[in-house]
Amino acid sequence: MRTGGKIMVAVLVMAGLLTAAACDHEADTGSGNGQAVESLMPESADGADEPLGKYDPPIEITALRPIDNATKYRPGDSPEHNVWIKGYEEELGIKIKFPWSANFTDNKYDEKMNVALASGDIANVMQVNPSQLKRMVEAGQLEELTDLIDRLATPLTKDILSQDGGNALKSATFGGKLMALPITNSAIDSSPVLWVRTDWLKKLQLPEPKTMDDVVRIAEAFAYQDPDGNGKPDTIGLGVSKELWGGFPALQGFFNAYHAYPNLWIKDREGKLAFGSVQPEMKPALAMLQDMYQRSLLDKEFALKDGGEVAEDAINGKVGMYFGDMWTPLWPLQNGKDKDPEMEWAPYPVPSADGKPAFVQNIFPVRAYFVVTKGTKHPEAIVKMLNMFVEKSWGEHSEPLKYSKGEDGLELFKYAVVQAWPANSNLNVHLHVAGALATGDTAALNQDEKQVYDKIKAYQQGDRSNWGMDRVFGEVSAFSVINNYVKNKLLLATGFYGAATSSMSQKQSALDKKATELFTKIIMGSADIDDIDRFVESWSELGGKQITDEVNAWAAQNN
């Protein structure tokens, strides 16, 4: 769901900051168990049968990938000419050509890729979304990669691809055959966090939130007790946007407090997969939001405001609390801190509405895949390029200043054609940096962790421009909350991580839109809370049951 231009720009910036910080200890310790994973960087290798061997003579492959408007280049560099493109040729003997390019903003790349798939204007190596992957598999357009990964992936590459327990690889496997390389990432980064204006808590002498009853009482105080001191009833207890889910802010955490999991496939009492948005637990959460709206604890105009507009309210000191992602201190909260140095926010775990443990939902982190089209002369080249990315980023022979993030701050990793990221990478940054902050010993920090550490130390010494970095990675931060979720096993992953089923491709978007429209009406009181029961029946008849059957058929084959 789109949340406006300001959200998109912010996410691009945050992704750069956080992924740069992800060039971390994880690879030095494999899956995080403290045992080093041996990397393979042979002193000399030749041909296609070495994980990092160089083709002699060189080969040429074509590639397609989205362009990121937020990516910056050094003078003379471009997506087609940069340190990674040069590195592929010098170290692997692989020359890369790009037939065309497109920006991923507003789905431009996906749209152009759909046209290319229909016309056959495709390349040897391409980035595709889950639906496009499934379409190409069914059309017999892809090379199988199972044997290539088994033979040529380095131990470190295999480790990173499997750190989520193998679900990422399973999502790219069809009929027992690996047909793509997933762009692995960290699922836990999407864990919802409760953010609260603690300067307002202090001013109004309110306790920190430990239960959902506390959240409601705090929201009421923020809405009615003039925490900004301007004598006007213009403050918002809990921030909500018209999208309800995703971006800034997001209500998943609110619903998780009531053991409801919107837009997530979860197991029902019979062990079957069921769609969280139509489960009975949604009802009490919606009833509470309706009550809060009627009491003006939510913005009466939330249904007209996208995430960017709610962010402006937060920047201008009008929002006291919201549920949202770990990156939100970097944007928009940092802008608010710059504007009002007295503004202070702190992260809290999602509280429970009934005293039972509140599990928080995670999205499936694989959003795209790398594929090799049928007939490509050197399909193994994709594995060799992935090995190079992993090795240069985290391996024994890593070169972070050359390939990851330069001394000039440029995010060089974005230029790589093929990528994969360790699970829990940003959490590890927090753990390593927080440990160094506690002891003052930075010897074990890598380059990117040291940059985060330096920014947080600068904040502690009075540089408010690094306040957001402290709230993301510091000792008391989003990741300290997320680490608590991990330690207490409070994370809930989706039960479905395959490509969109046939009915899902045709009907899911329309069903999701109907759900958001109804939930919005219920919150605003223009629909009765019991209307959700009738909606569940309608949802099933309009394709929900068919989608559920297909999802469970997939689960039977893949679990």
Side-chain angles (χ1 to χ4, degrees):
M1 254 168 234
R2 294 178 57 194
T3 56
K6 295 177 181 177
I7 285 289
M8 177 59 70
V9 173
V11 170
L12 296 179
V13 175
M14 295 319 121
L17 285 168
L18 296 170
T19 309
C23 299
D24 68 344
H25 261 49
E26 178 97 26
D28 297 332
T29 61
S31 59
N33 60 8
Q35 297 178 350
V37 175
E38 180 184 1
S39 63
L40 295 181
M41 178 65 84
E43 293 183 3
S44 62
D46 57 358
D49 294 328
E50 292 288 340
L52 285 158
K54 183 176 181 179
Y55 292 101
D56 187 13
I59 66 168
E60 181 177 300
I61 66 172
T62 55
L64 295 174
R65 64 171 184 194
I67 302 301
D68 179 351
N69 271 347
T71 301
K72 297 180 181 179
Y73 298 90
R74 290 167 179 157
D77 281 357
S78 68
E80 295 78 20
H81 303 282
N82 55 67
V83 64
W84 276 98
I85 302 303
K86 183 178 180 181
Y88 293 140
E89 184 170 358
E90 291 180 347
E91 300 206 19
L92 299 179
I94 299 175
K95 297 181 179 180
I96 305 290
K97 301 294 182 182
F98 297 96
W100 54 264
S101 63
N103 197 294
F104 71 79
T105 306
D106 294 331
N107 297 317
K108 289 292 192 300
Y109 177 81
D110 283 347
E111 290 172 1
K112 192 163 185 177
M113 178 60 70
N114 286 333
V115 174
L117 292 177
S119 66
D121 184 20
I122 53 181
N124 301 128
V125 174
M126 304 189 300
Q127 180 176 320
V128 297
N129 65 33
S131 296
Q132 291 162 347
L133 169 60
K134 184 181 180 184
R135 175 179 168 186
M136 296 187 78
V137 169
E138 292 174 344
Q141 293 178 296
L142 299 180
E143 292 283 347
E144 182 186 351
L145 304 179
T146 312
D147 180 63
L148 296 178
I149 287 292
D150 289 343
R151 288 192 299 108
L152 292 178
T154 66
L156 185 53
T157 296
K158 290 178 180 177
D159 180 71
I160 287 175
L161 289 174
S162 302
Q163 283 179 3
D164 70 340
N167 288 345
L169 288 172
K170 287 180 183 178
S171 74
T173 300
F174 297 78
K177 299 179 180 180
L178 183 67
M179 304 305 296
L181 297 181
I183 306 180
T184 58
N185 217 313
S186 175
I188 65 173
D189 288 3
S190 66
S191 304
V193 174
L194 173 62
W195 294 94
V196 182
R197 280 284 301 261
T198 49
D199 58 319
W200 286 6
L201 285 182
K202 184 177 180 180
K203 180 177 181 179
L204 300 180
Q205 298 182 333
L206 298 170
E208 295 181 322
K210 298 185 184 303
T211 67
M212 280 304 290
D213 286 342
D214 293 337
V215 169
V216 175
R217 281 192 290 267
I218 291 169
E220 184 173 27
F222 285 175
Y224 284 103
Q225 295 183 26
D226 192 25
D228 61 354
N230 69 354
K232 301 177 182 178
D234 59 355
T235 47
I236 300 164
L238 180 71
V240 181
S241 75
K242 66 180 182 181
E243 292 90 359
L244 302 185
W245 327 114
F248 177 93
L251 280 177
Q252 284 93 326
F254 188 98
F255 281 80
N256 294 170
Y258 291 84
H259 317 297
Y261 306 99
N263 304 310
L264 201 74
W265 287 95
I266 58 176
K267 286 188 176 181
D268 62 19
R269 294 178 180 177
E270 298 178 354
K272 298 289 187 179
L273 290 179
F275 197 52
S277 296
V278 293
Q279 300 311 302
E281 290 80 8
M282 293 289 290
K283 203 168 183 178
L286 285 166
M288 178 54 72
L289 285 170
Q290 185 184 76
D291 177 70
M292 294 176 72
Y293 181 85
Q294 291 173 347
R295 291 194 284 150
S296 298
L297 311 189
L298 312 182
D299 186 350
K300 287 291 188 180
E301 298 182 351
F302 86 87
L304 302 175
K305 292 185 176 181
D306 64 23
E309 292 168 307
V310 181
E312 286 299 316
D313 288 336
I315 290 169
N316 291 323
K318 299 305 177 185
V319 177
M321 190 164 38
Y322 68 92
F323 290 87
D325 287 347
M326 54 85 187
W327 51 260
T328 54
L330 295 169
W331 184 92
L333 301 189
Q334 180 67 61
N335 294 24
K337 183 71 172 179
D338 293 341
K339 187 172 184 178
D340 176 11
E342 299 302 316
M343 179 184 291
E344 200 61 63
W345 292 84
Y348 297 90
V350 170
S352 172
D354 60 7
K356 299 177 183 178
F359 291 86
V360 296
Q361 67 186 81
N362 290 158
I363 61 171
F364 183 59
V366 178
R367 306 291 186 87
Y369 300 82
F370 298 112
V371 298
V372 180
T373 53
K374 197 77 170 179
T376 295
K377 187 174 181 180
H378 291 281
E380 74 283 346
I382 192 174
V383 182
K384 293 159 74 70
M385 289 191 291
L386 183 58
N387 287 339
M388 181 175 170
F389 181 81
V390 167
E391 179 63 36
K392 296 300 185 183
S393 299
W394 307 290
E396 182 181 346
H397 301 273
S398 64
E399 299 181 71
L401 288 176
K402 182 177 181 180
Y403 287 103
S404 178
K405 189 172 185 181
E407 292 181 339
D408 53 8
L410 287 181
E411 296 161 344
L412 307 172
F413 61 86
K414 288 187 174 183
Y415 310 160
V417 174
V418 184
Q419 304 180 12
W421 298 90
N424 301 349
S425 53
N426 283 322
L427 176 59
N428 285 337
V429 173
H430 157 71
L431 293 174
H432 302 150
V433 170
L437 290 168
T439 64
D441 183 2
T442 63
L445 300 182
N446 65 25
Q447 173 202 352
D448 294 299
E449 292 167 351
K450 183 60 164 56
Q451 288 182 351
V452 173
Y453 173 89
D454 289 342
K455 289 178 181 295
I456 293 175
K457 289 297 289 185
Y459 160 69
Q460 292 176 347
Q461 295 166 7
D463 180 3
R464 289 195 303 271
S465 67
N466 286 304
W467 173 89
M469 189 66 74
D470 178 72
R471 287 300 180 271
V472 175
F473 289 113
E475 294 178 272
V476 179
S477 63
F479 277 104
S480 67
V481 172
I482 291 173
N483 188 46
N484 177 70
Y485 295 152
V486 173
K487 289 194 299 184
N488 291 289
K489 297 181 172 56
L490 293 174
L491 301 176
L492 185 64
T494 183
F496 176 73
Y497 43 83
T501 69
S502 298
S503 297
M504 197 179 288
S505 298
Q506 299 171 13
K507 302 174 181 179
Q508 187 74 59
S509 179
L511 290 174
D512 289 347
K513 182 178 180 181
K514 287 180 178 294
T516 299
E517 289 173 350
L518 175 63
F519 297 160
T520 300
K521 290 179 180 179
I522 289 174
I523 294 171
M524 298 179 67
S526 59
D528 189 84
I529 188 66
D530 289 330
D531 285 349
I532 193 171
D533 299 325
R534 288 180 284 276
F535 169 74
V536 170
E537 295 178 6
S538 173
W539 180 89
S540 182
E541 294 170 356
L542 293 174
K545 183 181 184 304
Q546 190 173 1
I547 293 172
T548 302
D549 289 344
E550 291 172 353
V551 166
N552 278 286
W554 168 91
Q557 293 179 347
N558 289 275
N559 294 322

